[in-house]
Amino acid sequence: IRDKVDTASTDFFVRLKEIAHLRIDFISQYPNLWEFLYSAYNEEHPDVMSLVKEKNETLLQGSFATSASNIDWSKLKKGITPEKAIEIVTWIAEGFVSKITGNTSADAEHYYQFDEYIEYLKTGMYGDE
């Protein structure tokens, strides 16, 4: 996914939608692999939990460095930092993914409902354009 992200767009929410669509395509194409990766990401067994957390942090930092490059953060409303914007988006995305993971009856169109949440976030976080 990281290699397919078009970093030419400087709009945070355009980039977010692109990443979400790439992930949706991956989930739709490889649902069993996604279930495995999702369960590994959330592993809580004490023998491996710290190692999994460390690997996840490393992956997230590398992913963020690529995904967030060239973003025009000046569009954010006064008082909203890039870090807070990313944190809020991450919480909402994790909640959405948690809700849809394991839903074998859902198709790709169901997953694209996340676009609606992205638009709400954009309206709430961006100043007047």
Side-chain angles (χ1 to χ4, degrees):
I1 290 172
R2 184 178 54 228
D3 294 341
K4 292 182 179 184
V5 173
D6 177 13
T7 56
S9 173
T10 62
D11 187 289
F12 176 59
F13 292 98
V14 168
R15 183 86 52 88
L16 182 60
K17 275 187 186 179
E18 181 184 4
I19 292 168
H21 291 189
L22 288 167
R23 287 186 177 173
I24 290 164
D25 293 344
F26 177 83
I27 292 167
S28 298
Q29 191 171 0
Y30 306 104
N32 293 332
L33 180 55
W34 172 253
E35 290 285 340
F36 171 76
L37 292 171
Y38 184 75
S39 65
Y41 178 80
N42 292 300
E43 180 58 59
E44 294 182 359
H45 192 281
D47 291 346
V48 295
M49 193 164 105
S50 62
L51 179 61
V52 169
K53 184 177 181 177
E54 181 183 315
K55 294 272 186 196
N56 287 339
E57 268 307 306
T58 302
L59 286 170
L60 286 173
Q61 287 174 1
S63 177
F64 173 75
T66 302
S67 312
S69 65
N70 196 35
I71 294 292
D72 178 7
W73 296 110
S74 69
K75 295 179 179 182
L76 292 173
K77 287 182 179 177
K78 185 177 178 180
I80 300 178
T81 64
E83 294 78 18
K84 287 292 179 191
I86 291 167
E87 190 172 44
I88 291 166
V89 165
T90 300
W91 290 338
I92 291 171
E94 286 177 351
F96 186 81
V97 168
S98 176
K99 177 182 170 183
I100 64 170
T101 297
N103 184 354
T104 56
S105 65
D107 58 11
E109 289 303 313
H110 179 79
Y111 301 132
Y112 283 109
Q113 291 175 345
F114 188 66
D115 285 0
E116 185 178 345
Y117 296 106
I118 292 171
E119 287 303 315
Y120 294 146
L121 291 169
K122 183 175 184 174
T123 300
M125 288 189 203
Y126 272 4
D128 296 328
E129 293 189 86

